[in-house]
Amino acid sequence: MKNPLDCAALDAAIENVHRAGMPGLFAEVRDGDRVWRGAAGVADVATGRPVCADMRHRVGSITKTFTAAAVLQQVENGRIGLDVPIGRYLPTLVPGERGDAITVRMLLNHTSGLAEYLPYAYPSLKAFPALADTGPQSLDDHRFTRFDPTELIGLGVAAPAVGTPGGRPGVYSNTNYLLLVELLEQVTGTTAEQYIRNVIERAGLQDTRLPAGPYVDGPHSQLYEAWFGMIDPPRDFSVYDMSWVGPSASLISTVADLNRFYGLLLAGEIVGPSSLAQMQRTVPVVSQEGRMIDYGLGLHPMEGPGRSTYWGHGGTVWGGGALAMTRADGARQMAVAVNLQRWNRLDPSGTPQPHPIDDALATLYRLAMDD
């Protein structure tokens, strides 16, 4: 017997995240036909404008699931081979022996060994993820910078490798997904955005889109970046050119659309059952936070309190974050969006310190996935 939604407990839990220091957050939890939506706090700390559960939000790397689905659709069409070397498709971007050794699958599951380009594109992040040596200056410097994706890929390819192709554990790297965007364009002869939009349209999502400029259209929250206490008070980065991650991590969506998408994906309605099975084959990967996670092809699992497996993805941008998880049978779903990032201050060794927000969010997630 699965536990039904406890709406009163969810109301209290989301309010507790706000009281713990989160300016604003909103969420949707689904259990079969029952739906709970909640919001707590403010979308703008200056005016006190409240957050609402239907707001649009930058969802960051949750976009990777959409990108992976677009790639798998092309695998189904016979245009892409999962175990074909990327050098066969993009020889100028990943030349030589590495291009021969790194496959499309290795890009999708972060086992390519290619380094993260971010600390090279953002000089103040030079030691990322060695956090004590980083600073937030580049975040302001690049607010309206229009990055060329092939130049960003070049930075990641030229950087010292973080592993051998196909090695375990993998290391999470945005360079992998920028290459997948270029792969989609190479094999389809059109923009990757078009094929990510095809995924959005197949799911029937009404409030999900890639940004046309640095602004979020429609009702949305400001996005407050603290950079581990180095920006105090946190600064609004909701207006930002998203070319620093490109179409593989820049979607704008809602919590309702995210739940709809993952529900349809796990039902085999976005990609076929065999492709979904490939997406759910996981390997150990070191996350950007330095934690070991299991990662598939644009998807990763989480264990619910009742030990059921949930599948989905998290995402962060400067100032904003989101997490969307759906139980393997599709019946229980959670999507949460927050408008503050990197709230943990660092100790003298550069380790993020616990913050009340951490425990309050964990409680909210546990209640949302209480199966």
Side-chain angles (χ1 to χ4, degrees), residues 225-226 229-235 345:
E225 180 60 56
M230 298 180 207
I231 306 176
D232 189 13
R235 193 171 306 134
R345 292 179 178 267

Side-chain angles (χ1 to χ4, degrees), residues 57-58 223-225 315-322 338-341:
H57 196 72
R58 297 195 192 276
L223 301 176
Y224 297 102
E225 180 60 56
T316 64
V317 296
W318 310 134
V338 299
N339 67 2
L340 174 70
Q341 277 301 294

Side-chain angles (χ1 to χ4, degrees), residues 1-7 10 28-37 259 308 310 325-327 329-335 367-371:
M1 180 69 183
K2 302 295 184 181
N3 293 328
L5 285 183
D6 187 337
C7 295
L10 287 165
E28 180 187 86
V29 180
R30 290 182 168 270
D31 187 78
D33 293 333
R34 293 196 68 202
V35 180
W36 170 86
R37 294 188 184 96
N259 278 337
S308 295
Y310 284 71
M325 285 284 159
T326 290
R327 201 168 66 202
D329 64 3
R332 186 81 172 222
Q333 300 187 272
M334 167 191 80
L367 280 169
M369 297 192 293
D370 186 8
D371 54 9

Side-chain angles (χ1 to χ4, degrees), residues 153-164:
I153 290 167
L155 293 173
V157 171
V162 293
T164 57

